[in-house]
Amino acid sequence: MSYGHISERAEVYARTLFELTPQEETLKHIQRVKRALADSQVEDFLNTPLISREQKKEILKSVLKDVPELERNFIFLLVDRGVTGLLGEIGEMFQKLLDDKLSRIHGEVVSPQPLSPGEKTTLETGLEKYLKKKVSLEEIISSTHIGGLYVKVGDFVFNDTLDFHLKTFQNTGG
């Protein structure tokens, strides 16, 4: 079964790595490597056929010097197979596997101004009770919202923005 826009190939790589490594640390390494490889020049370097895969791995050794051997070898395997472009999807799938294992879910809360730490905690706690999972919310400040909150966690959406209420009011002829 494939998740959303994650290819089956990336899912297989992620599941394999997930079974072989300590998950929390590996996720941090994947995210760090993904950021390092996201640079367009690095991407071009990895995709050029003018440089051998062995040369690419030699150069990557310096970039990956702090990454544990198993994970570094995993990246080299991606280089050997010419699929380093899958790293983003692999990282995303790895995150989903880890979240499932830890019964955790990530979401976002959009508001016109920052929430206080207490408000964010109260919102996360309420969502945890409702969703029966540990909830971690990313705050997004949006000047387009006049007031209220928009919360999206997985498939769950809560829209209590003033914009939404005004549109609903207009559509009902109120």
Side-chain angles (χ1 to χ4, degrees):
M1 177 173 103
S2 191
Y3 288 78
H5 65 281
I6 298 174
S7 67
E8 287 184 35
R9 194 169 186 189
E11 186 176 336
V12 168
Y13 282 116
R15 287 185 185 280
T16 301
L17 185 62
F18 189 80
E19 294 298 321
L20 295 174
T21 62
Q23 289 89 15
E24 287 283 353
E25 285 302 308
T26 298
L27 181 61
K28 290 176 189 171
H29 295 304
I30 289 173
Q31 290 169 337
R32 191 174 76 212
V33 170
K34 188 170 72 172
R35 281 191 302 273
L37 300 184
D39 180 276
S40 62
Q41 290 178 336
V42 174
E43 213 173 305
D44 291 345
F45 161 75
L46 290 172
N47 292 325
T48 183
L50 302 174
I51 301 171
S52 75
R53 290 182 175 154
E54 288 306 314
Q55 290 172 311
K56 291 175 188 177
K57 290 192 297 190
E58 275 304 310
I59 292 170
L60 281 175
K61 280 182 184 176
S62 64
V63 174
L64 305 174
K65 65 180 178 280
D66 296 331
V67 174
E69 183 178 5
L70 179 70
E71 295 156 22
R72 187 173 48 245
N73 288 339
F74 177 80
I75 302 299
F76 293 159
L77 174 72
L78 297 179
V79 170
D80 285 338
R81 296 203 174 159
V83 293
T84 53
L86 290 177
L87 194 60
E89 288 180 56
I90 293 168
E92 190 175 332
M93 183 65 204
F94 198 95
Q95 175 78 60
K96 288 178 187 211
L97 292 169
L98 183 57
D99 288 344
D100 286 348
K101 179 180 178 182
L102 299 175
S103 193
R104 178 174 67 188
I105 192 165
H106 297 271
E108 60 186 32
V109 56
V110 182
S111 66
Q113 57 199 24
L115 299 177
S116 73
E119 290 171 325
K120 185 177 177 189
T121 300
T122 300
L123 185 57
E124 287 173 335
T125 302
L127 288 166
E128 287 170 4
K129 288 178 184 172
Y130 180 76
L131 299 171
K132 309 237 184 306
K133 288 187 175 189
K134 176 77 176 131
V135 175
S136 174
L137 292 175
E138 175 189 354
E139 274 191 77
I140 299 171
I141 308 305
S142 172
S143 59
T144 61
H145 287 297
I146 302 168
L149 298 175
Y150 174 86
V151 180
K152 182 168 184 352
V153 182
D155 294 334
F156 175 81
V157 175
F158 173 76
N159 191 345
D160 191 33
T161 60
L162 188 54
D163 317 32
F164 174 74
H165 290 294
L166 288 172
K167 285 179 188 168
T168 303
F169 183 71
Q170 286 175 336
N171 291 339
T172 58

